[in-house]
């Protein structure tokens, strides 16, 4: 397929699926667990990874494959693995290169679920993590890397703190340590940022957010940039013979696809947290309007942030699209737009903020972000509830912080709703 020179918008609409004569115009939904073959040898060759083809939907499925290939093209990688959720994708991305006794360095400003994974769950499997302040000097962050550190993990635009990653700094630290930089690119999506172009080696997404974009389907995806050199000694699980495939070496057999092939044939095979075909179909449909939706999310969020920043009932606003924001310069450098999520505090603190959220009519209070409908959430009592207050502050969550996911409604209606809810909050307080 001639997608090599296509722009992101064209890939989003038409990438990865080319109907042949008389085929369905839309990517077909292949709702089948398995596939029929003519000979036993044909299936044996699939099991031995000697031939490519679908045999069982835990390993691969045509609808999921079309979604994976489109994500690969959008991020500029060499291959992808779609997972059951963003958390499944992050877990698989890390377990693919870290085992018991090894270590991860991650930024503090992370999604609450990722923080719990790194701080609580992976340590139970012997994988430990040191959290660093992403704004610390390069040498200070580099000092957290140990002999057994196997990757550096960060979010390109953090949830919910909207901190913009300094890619040059993090890529340099990872490169000096000969470990990959793994970046969660959920908030910008590949339309606003392509981490592989800024030195990341692996990209992960929660596709449950802007990629699906309509809050219909949980999903996650790992994209392999294909440029990290695994053969320098730290990653024998990729270079040395795998006893579960008759002693095959991923780096020898699959070259630049070694990492993503291993993730599929070992971890998807053994753990099975893969994306369902229906969710891949819906996520692929979502991708067809990604560029249009993201552009509007950005302009609506910028207008709402500007309006909130000028309002006396609001104590502070954080949105990297505002010229006064601490992340504005980094956003200018790395993001084509600052996405649709902003945070703010209401005068009167957490109690006034609660009155405000309860008074909204158009915007709904939901545990979600990044879909067509404007929504709000209170991280301290919801997504980051399992963290103590100091951990919450390190993740960029203050007690009064309200996270807004600005949707695609007309901006006048969004502002009118916020206006009446701020008035109601001031009256109740
Ligand atoms: C939502 C989210 C996740 C987790 O994704 P799920 O699909 O909910 O499992 C991970 N990272 C970021 C940045 C997120 O916003």
């Amino acid at each position: 397929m001639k997608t090599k020179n296509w722009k992101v918008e064209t890939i989003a609409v038409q990438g990865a699926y080319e109907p042949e004569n008389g085929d369905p115009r839309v990517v077909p939904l292949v709702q089948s667990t398995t596939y029929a073959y003519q000979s036993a040898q044909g299936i044996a060759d699939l099991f031995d990874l000697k031939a490519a083809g679908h045999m069982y939907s835990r390993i691969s499925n045509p609808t999921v494959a079309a979604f994976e290939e489109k994500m690969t093209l959008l991020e500029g990688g060499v291959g992808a693995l779609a997972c059951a959720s963003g958390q499944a994708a992050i877990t698989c991305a890390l377990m693919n290169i870290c085992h018991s006794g090894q270590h991860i360095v991650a930024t503090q400003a992370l999604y609450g679920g990722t923080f719990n994974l790194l701080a609580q769950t992976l340590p139970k499997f012997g994988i430990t993590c040191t959290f660093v302040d992403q704004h610390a000097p390069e040498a200070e962050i580099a000092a957290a890397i140990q002999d057994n550190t196997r990757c550096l993990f960060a979010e390109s635009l953090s949830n919910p703190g909207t901190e913009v990653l300094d890619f040059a700094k993090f890529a340099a630290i990872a490169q000096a340590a000969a470990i990959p930089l793994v970046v969660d690119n959920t908030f910008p999506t590949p339309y606003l940022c392509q981490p592989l172009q800024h030195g990341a080696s692996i990209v992960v997404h929660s596709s449950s957010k802007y990629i699906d974009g309509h809050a219909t389907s949980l999903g996650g995806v790992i994209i392999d940039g294909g440029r990290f050199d695994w053969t320098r000694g730290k990653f024998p699980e990729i270079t040395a013979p795998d006893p579960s495939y008759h002693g095959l070496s991923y780096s020898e057999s699959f070259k630049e696809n070694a990492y993503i092939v291993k993730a599929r044939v070992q971890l998807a095979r053994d753990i099975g947290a893969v994306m369902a075909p229906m969710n891949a179909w819906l996520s692929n449909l979502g991708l067809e309007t990604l560029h249009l939706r993201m552009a509007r999310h950005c302009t609506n969020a910028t207008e709402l942030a500007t309006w909130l920043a000028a309002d006396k009932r609001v104590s502070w606003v954080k949105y990297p699209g505002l010229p006064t924001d601490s992340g504005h310069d980094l956003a200018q450098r790395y993001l084509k737009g600052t996405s649709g999520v902003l945070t703010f505090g209401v005068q009167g603190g957490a109690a006034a903020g609660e009155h405000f959220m309860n008074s909204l009519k158009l915007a709904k209070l939901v545990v979600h972000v990044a879909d067509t409908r404007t929504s709000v959430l209170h991280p301290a009592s919801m997504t980051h509830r399992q963290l103590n207050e100091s951990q919450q502050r390190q993740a960029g969550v203050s007690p009064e912080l309200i996270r807004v996911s600005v949707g695609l409604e007309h901006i006048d209606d969004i502002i009118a709703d916020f206006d009446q809810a701020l008035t109601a909050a001031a009256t109740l307080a």
Side-chain angles (χ1 to χ4, degrees), residues 53-67:
H54 304 290
M55 61 165 154
Y56 189 56
S57 288
R58 173 155 37 79
I59 313 295
S60 67
N61 165 284
T63 311
V64 179
F67 171 70

Side-chain angles (χ1 to χ4, degrees), residues 67-69 71-72 78-82 221-224 260 264:
F67 171 70
E68 289 166 338
E69 200 185 326
M71 286 304 302
T72 302
V78 297
L81 174 67
V221 58
I222 309 169
I223 300 104
D224 183 355
I260 202 70
R264 179 183 305 280

